[in-house]
Amino acid sequence: MAGSVPPVVIEPPVVIDAHTHAFPPEWVADRVNHCQRDRWFGELYEAPSARMSDAGNLILAMDEAGVAQAVACGWPWADPGLCREHNDYLAEVSRASQGRLAWLGCVGPAFPGAGAETERCLALGASGIGELNADAQGFDVAAPGALADVAAVLTAAGLPLLLHASEPVGHRYPGKGTATPDRLVSFLETQPALSVVLAHWGGGLPFYELMPEVGALCGNVVYDTAASSYLYGPGIFRTVLDIVGADRVLWGSDHPVLGMGRFLRRTHRLAGLLPEEVERVMGGNARRVYRLGDTGTCFGLMGTGG
Ligand SMILES: [Zn+2]
C-alpha cells in the first residue's frame, strides 16, 4: 500500500484514577479488630456495608472500568506503626503490579519520625505522601510547622502531599473532619514551594480562588475529584474547571468508596469536560503531579489496562 495515507487512529485517553485506597487482604478480613485499633477507621468501617478493597480487587476494578493506572493510598492511621506496615504492603503490591499501581506513603505527623518515614517511602518508590488526615491523625493542619518535616522531604524530592479536605457546610458524613478551606489556606501560606493535592475538590477551596490573594496561594495546588458524587452534583466539574483551569484537576474516585467504573461512566456522561480537557483531567495531570512516568520510580512502564 505504498503511497496510501494511513488512517488517523484516535486513541481514547489513558485513564488514571488518582485517588484510591487499598488494604492488606488480612486487614480486610480482620476489619473488626482494626475498628478497635483506630478510632477514625472505626468510624468509617464499623458498618459492614462500608467497602474495603485489597490491591487485587483494586486491579480487578481497574480492569472492569478500563482504567490503566491508579494511585493507591493506604489509610491515615493514628498509629505510625500501622502506617509503616501499610506502606510496606503498598510498596510490595506496587512493585508486583507491573506499573498498574502507584502508591502514596502514609506517615503520622503528630509523632517524631514522620520525616524519616517519608524518606523511607520515597526510597521504596512512593509517588508522594497521603492521604493524610488531620482529624484522624491528631495534628492541626493550620498550626505552623505541623507538617514541616514531611513537607521538607517532599519539596526536595519534587513530589506531592495529598491532604484530605472537607466542606465547612453541608451534610455531615463519617470521615468529614475539619480540614476546611480556611485551615488549608493557613497551611498553604507556610508551604509555598510544596506541591499539594487537595482531595474531594479541596472542600470548596476552588471557589475562593476567585479571590486574587487566595488564588495566588494556590499555584502549586491541584484538586482531586475523590468521592465527588457523595458531595456535589455533577456541575462541580464544569464550575471548578472554569475557575482553576484544566491543568489543576485530577480525576479520582476514592474507590472503593465510589465504585470506579460507575464513577467513570458518570463522569463521561455528566461532567461536561471539553475535548481538549479530557486527556489532562482523566490522566495527564496525575502523571505530571505524581511524576508517574519518571525513570527511577517503579511506575515507568505501563500495561494498557483492560
Ligand atoms: Zn479523603
Side-chain angles (χ1 to χ4, degrees), residues 19 21 131 133 163-165 175 199-200 226 254:
H19 187 140
H21 293 273
E131 175 188 14
N133 185 313
L163 288 175
H164 175 80
H200 319 299
D254 217 358

Side-chain angles (χ1 to χ4, degrees), residues 231-272:
L231 306 170
Y232 298 95
I236 185 76
F237 277 85
R238 198 62 265 147
T239 303
V240 173
L241 284 164
D242 287 342
I243 296 172
V244 306
D247 290 328
R248 295 183 48 215
V249 173
L250 315 182
W251 184 80
S253 62
D254 217 358
H255 187 92
V257 175
L258 290 185
M260 186 185 292
R262 189 157 181 233
F263 182 51
L264 182 59
R265 291 190 294 276
R266 190 180 162 84
T267 303
H268 285 320
R269 205 171 62 243
L270 300 173

